[in-house]
């Protein structure tokens, strides 16, 4: 058992003991700052809900469903990804939490990854570049990165960037990110811009860190832990309620924009950790909805061309099980300037042309025609739809991310 202080930048939050072999929080000691606890962790009579804090802590580690993680753990000679957290102080490039061993008095300023360099060793292994671990340095924000696709943080031209792969056999996600970027640019939706970068014969998407040393991303999942949801409240309504209680302005509009984008690109993986809010990590003031990121699991990324055309079996998250149902939640389409999307087919063709052998002509046409059809759908609906009263009938029941391990062949 090792004794740590849970830290939020330079603020001491609570004392805790971690089990070195499992990575779990075994015991929680004194609470110094309930305010600075991660969002949605309950405190009763000055006692932190340990199960909830463990869930938060474990969620910080690389998910067991990460593509290639088994091989990476063999290289590290570790049994699980949770123990990696302890080797990088639990630091991340998406928020400001970390842990400090009680034997040290190291400061956040000295070790945070926003201002200080980090090791590329973990990233090299995670991306499958090396299996060499001599003189290995574990201090990397990759130890706290979420999501199932192979990815790493890299410093490119002095900027922290997330470099993320695609899944077999089409490697389509990096191109989808660029297409989504372009659609959001046209529609004026606040977003993180992505580019494609090649490493050998593999495409990757690259985006800059949108979090700084003074902000942090709080996922919708965490936001939804701030209140109890009763069985008659839909996931959508619950999220809006939680955001409004936190004082977030205009959340309905931000969600409208996300739902419309996800309809157009047939996004299948907008689970509750793929959107959220941003707050000031010093003052804890809420800044607003996070810009849209992670839109790659879309445009039939794992489907055959004819399935893309038919549009059947497209999954939908986070609110409703189908995109048609989810689109009914949109309260206003007035902000959409449809004419801005006029040339989008040609632009998509240009983006997909860069995919080389991963993309044949049939597939390209299927993607373009499905996007054009879905834009037309929205245009039609926008003319007629009035928002309906939401219920839980067609709600998504669980918050589960897409995994790609079985997508090796079709
Ligand atoms: N540009 C970014 N800046 C800061 N944090 C990010 C950024 N992009 C993603 N993240 C964080 O990293 C996590 C994983 O990235 P994501 O793009 O969702 O990968 P995946 O496609 O594998 O789910 C996200 O859930 C979010 O917490
Ligand atoms: Mg994600």
């Amino acid at each position: 058992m090792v004794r740590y202080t849970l830290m939020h930048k330079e603020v001491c939050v609570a004392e805790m003991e971690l089990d070195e072999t499992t990575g779990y929080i075994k015991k929680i000691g004194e609470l110094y700052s309930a305010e600075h606890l991660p969002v949605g962790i309950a405190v009763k009579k000055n006692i932190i809900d340990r199960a909830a804090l463990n869930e938060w802590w474990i969620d910080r580690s690389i998910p067991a469903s990460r593509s290639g993680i088994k091989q990476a753990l063999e290289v590290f000679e570790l049994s699980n990804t949770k123990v990696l957290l302890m080797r990088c102080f639990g630091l991340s490039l998406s928020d400001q939490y970390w842990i400090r061993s009680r034997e040290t008095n190291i400061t956040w300023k000295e070790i945070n990854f926003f201002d200080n360099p980090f090791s590329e060793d973990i990233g090299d292994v995670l991306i499958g570049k090396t299996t060499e671990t001599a003189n290995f340095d574990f201090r990397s924000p990759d130890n706290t990165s979420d999501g199932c696709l192979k990815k790493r943080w890299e410093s490119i031209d002095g900027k922290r960037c997330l470099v993320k792969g695609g899944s077999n056999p089409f490697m389509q996600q990096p191109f989808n990110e660029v297409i989504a970027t372009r659609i959001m640019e046209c529609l004026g939706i606040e977003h993180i811009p992505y580019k494609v970068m090649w490493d050998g014969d593999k495409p990757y998407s690259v985006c800059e860190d949108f979090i700084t040393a003074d902000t942090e991303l709080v996922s919708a999942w965490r936001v939804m832990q701030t209140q109890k949801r009763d069985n008659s409240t839909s996931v959508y309504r619950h999220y809006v309620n939680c955001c409004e209680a936190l004082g977030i302005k205009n959340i309905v509009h931000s969600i409208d924009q996300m739902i419309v984008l996800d309809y157009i690109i047939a996004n299948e993986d907008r689970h509750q950790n793929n959107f959220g809010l941003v707050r000031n990590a010093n003052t804890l003031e809420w800044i607003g909805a996070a810009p849209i990121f992670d839109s790659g699991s879309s445009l039939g990324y794992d489907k055959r061309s004819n399935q893309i055309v038919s549009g059947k079996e497209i999954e939908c998250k986070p609110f409703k099980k189908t995109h048609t149902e989810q689109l009914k939640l949109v309260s206003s389409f007035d902000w959409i300037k449809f004419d801005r999307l006029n040339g989008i087919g040609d632009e998509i063709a240009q983006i997909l042309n860069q995919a080389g052998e991963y993309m044949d002509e049939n597939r390209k046409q299927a993607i373009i025609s499905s996007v054009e059809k879905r834009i037309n759908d929205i245009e039609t609906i926008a003319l007629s739809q009035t928002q309906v009263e939401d219920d839980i009938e067609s709600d998504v029941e669980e918050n589960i991310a897409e995994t790609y391990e079985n997508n090796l062949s079709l």
Side-chain angles (χ1 to χ4, degrees):
M1 220 69 82
V2 189
R3 285 147 54 107
Y4 287 96
T5 307
L6 174 63
M7 306 289 296
H8 191 221
K9 288 190 83 166
E10 309 287 10
V11 176
C12 297
V13 182
E15 299 295 350
M16 58 187 200
E17 288 180 21
L18 293 180
D19 184 316
E20 265 178 306
T21 49
T22 65
Y24 275 91
I25 302 166
K26 281 288 167 201
K27 213 169 151 184
I28 298 178
E30 192 170 347
L31 170 62
Y32 302 117
S33 171
E35 250 201 310
H36 280 268
L37 272 170
V39 170
I41 302 291
V43 178
K44 273 192 199 131
K45 296 187 179 149
N46 223 31
I47 292 176
I48 302 172
D49 179 340
R50 181 161 67 96
L53 195 66
N54 254 319
E55 188 231 69
W56 168 81
W57 176 243
I58 296 313
D59 253 11
R60 262 181 116 62
S61 59
I62 300 171
S65 52
R66 169 75 58 82
S67 171
I69 196 63
K70 246 180 89 184
Q71 295 84 331
L73 283 172
E74 274 167 27
V75 174
F76 301 142
E77 296 181 22
L78 294 172
S79 60
N80 64 68
T81 60
K82 298 185 269 295
V83 292
L84 284 172
L85 290 175
M86 284 179 269
R87 310 222 180 166
C88 69
F89 306 97
L91 283 166
S92 159
L93 279 173
S94 303
D95 72 20
Q96 310 302 342
Y97 286 98
W98 61 290
I99 54 170
R100 181 170 73 189
S101 157
R102 272 197 264 166
E103 268 115 63
T104 69
N105 49 16
I106 201 159
T107 65
W108 177 85
K109 217 174 164 40
E110 290 166 316
I111 55 160
N112 79 80
F113 295 136
F114 293 91
D115 304 318
N116 299 290
F118 51 85
S119 158
E120 306 226 314
D121 295 351
I122 295 279
D124 283 343
V125 175
L126 288 176
I127 222 97
K129 231 181 192 154
T130 182
T131 52
E132 186 52 61
T133 56
N135 301 321
F136 207 75
D137 183 347
F138 280 87
R139 280 170 300 176
S140 153
D142 292 328
N143 293 318
T144 52
S145 71
D146 193 16
C148 297
L149 286 173
K150 279 193 178 157
K151 62 174 69 60
R152 70 182 304 173
W153 285 102
E154 255 178 66
S155 192
I156 303 175
D157 299 331
K159 299 205 164 87
R160 304 313 192 231
C161 295
L162 187 64
V163 178
K164 194 168 78 163
S167 64
N168 282 320
F170 306 117
M171 293 288 162
Q172 201 179 305
Q173 289 92 336
F175 304 97
N176 288 351
E177 296 284 14
V178 179
I179 294 169
T181 298
R182 191 59 201 126
I183 292 173
M184 289 189 276
E185 242 166 39
C186 292
L187 294 180
I189 300 175
E190 221 194 307
H191 64 281
I192 301 305
Y194 288 78
K195 287 191 181 136
V196 168
M197 179 179 94
W198 288 82
D199 191 0
D201 59 357
K202 290 221 169 72
Y204 292 87
S205 70
V206 186
C207 66
E208 280 181 33
D209 195 345
F210 63 87
I211 296 303
T212 68
D214 295 311
T215 61
E216 60 192 357
L217 171 65
V218 180
S219 72
W221 171 260
R222 295 245 53 89
V223 171
M224 289 201 233
Q225 311 303 310
T226 58
Q227 287 188 23
K228 258 214 152 63
R229 179 167 79 97
D230 67 53
N231 290 338
S232 61
T233 308
S234 71
V235 178
Y236 172 81
R237 184 44 53 196
H238 180 64
Y239 186 58
V240 171
N241 289 347
C242 291
C243 289
E244 284 179 349
L246 296 172
I248 309 294
K249 301 225 165 61
N250 258 335
I251 194 65
V252 167
H253 180 56
S254 304
I255 303 173
D256 280 359
Q257 294 193 316
M258 183 175 83
I259 292 176
V260 165
L261 168 78
D262 286 345
Y263 185 92
I264 295 174
I265 63 172
N267 192 351
E268 302 196 62
D269 203 27
R270 184 73 64 201
H271 57 76
Q272 296 171 18
N273 291 320
N274 272 344
F275 67 108
L277 305 177
V278 176
R279 70 173 179 175
N280 182 310
N282 309 310
T283 63
L284 306 181
E285 275 166 334
W286 291 96
I287 295 168
I292 303 273
F293 61 93
D294 195 6
S295 306
S297 302
S298 53
L299 301 172
Y301 71 98
D302 63 347
K303 296 184 172 50
R304 296 187 189 91
S305 303
N306 53 353
Q307 288 176 297
I308 297 177
V309 174
S310 80
K312 287 185 198 144
E313 293 179 44
I314 297 171
E315 247 193 275
C316 181
K317 298 166 191 170
F319 304 120
K320 298 296 174 190
K321 287 181 191 134
T322 68
H323 282 278
T324 309
E325 279 301 311
Q326 194 159 275
L327 201 60
K328 291 183 186 160
L329 296 172
V330 171
S331 66
S332 167
F333 295 96
D334 295 350
W335 51 275
I336 306 178
K337 299 201 170 59
F338 286 101
D339 57 336
R340 297 246 171 104
L341 290 170
N342 280 345
I344 200 68
D346 291 342
E347 291 196 52
I348 294 175
Q350 275 176 26
I351 294 165
L352 294 178
N353 280 341
Q354 295 161 30
E357 65 180 26
Y358 290 110
M359 180 71 49
D360 60 39
E361 209 49 42
N362 245 349
R363 194 170 178 81
K364 217 179 288 172
Q365 286 314 320
I367 293 169
I368 292 170
S369 65
S370 84
V371 168
E372 287 174 340
K373 178 192 169 294
R374 296 171 79 86
I375 292 171
N376 276 335
D377 290 350
I378 298 189
E379 213 164 353
T380 310
I381 291 166
L383 288 173
S384 62
Q385 186 172 304
T386 45
Q387 200 187 16
V388 292
E389 201 49 48
D390 181 29
D391 60 34
I392 59 164
E393 197 72 4
S394 50
D395 264 23
V396 172
E397 278 141 31
E398 267 183 288
N399 180 44
I400 299 171
E402 213 58 52
T403 59
Y404 307 103
E405 288 290 80
N406 298 324
N407 288 355
L408 289 174
S409 60
L410 282 184

